[in-house]
Amino acid sequence: MVRLTLIAAAAAAATFTAAPLPAQTTDAATYVAKAGASDLYERTSSQLVLQSTRDPKIRDFATMMIRDHQKSTADVKKAATTARVRVPAAKLEPMQAQMVAELRAKTGAERDRTYVTQQRTAHQRALALHSGYAQGGTAAPLKTVAAATAPVVQHHIEMLQGM
């Protein structure tokens, strides 16, 4: 069990220091579902850390995450409707659900550190998703939203580098 935890920790550390993920090209329905899951993770994890953090930088960042990811959810839903793409109810992907569970199990400064580490991973994945769809997507309204969302995600990544 300890060995698996160490392997998982090493893999996670490698993820945070690795180069940005390559852009992902997906179909419109998959993009909408993945963007919804990504935003749901951001809001859920940020609400959770806001319940306990005493760090003003983390509090400000988490508050911004909730605001920005509510906006991107609304933007994707509006574009999907325009493009006639069904918008499923947002559902965390297994990795995201695992990260939320890990965050719930932590307290204090350890929760804050875990949150920042998870945010780095989640934002790299989100950047790859939005950049990929902006470049290779098929539904014009969604491509426009993806192209507008990618720089916001990049800004979040830059903020995380200082945390």
Side-chain angles (χ1 to χ4, degrees), residues 31-33 35-36 39 71-82 85 87 130 142 145-146 149:
Y31 169 73
V32 170
D39 284 342
K71 180 183 182 320
S72 61
T73 294
D75 292 348
V76 168
K77 284 182 178 182
K78 183 177 178 185
T81 300
T82 301
V85 174
V87 179
H130 293 294
L142 289 167
V145 167
T149 303

Side-chain angles (χ1 to χ4, degrees), residues 41 91-104:
Y41 165 76
K91 179 182 175 191
L92 294 175
E93 293 182 346
M95 182 178 119
Q96 294 162 330
Q98 182 180 1
M99 290 189 325
V100 169
E102 181 184 359
L103 203 54
R104 285 187 200 285

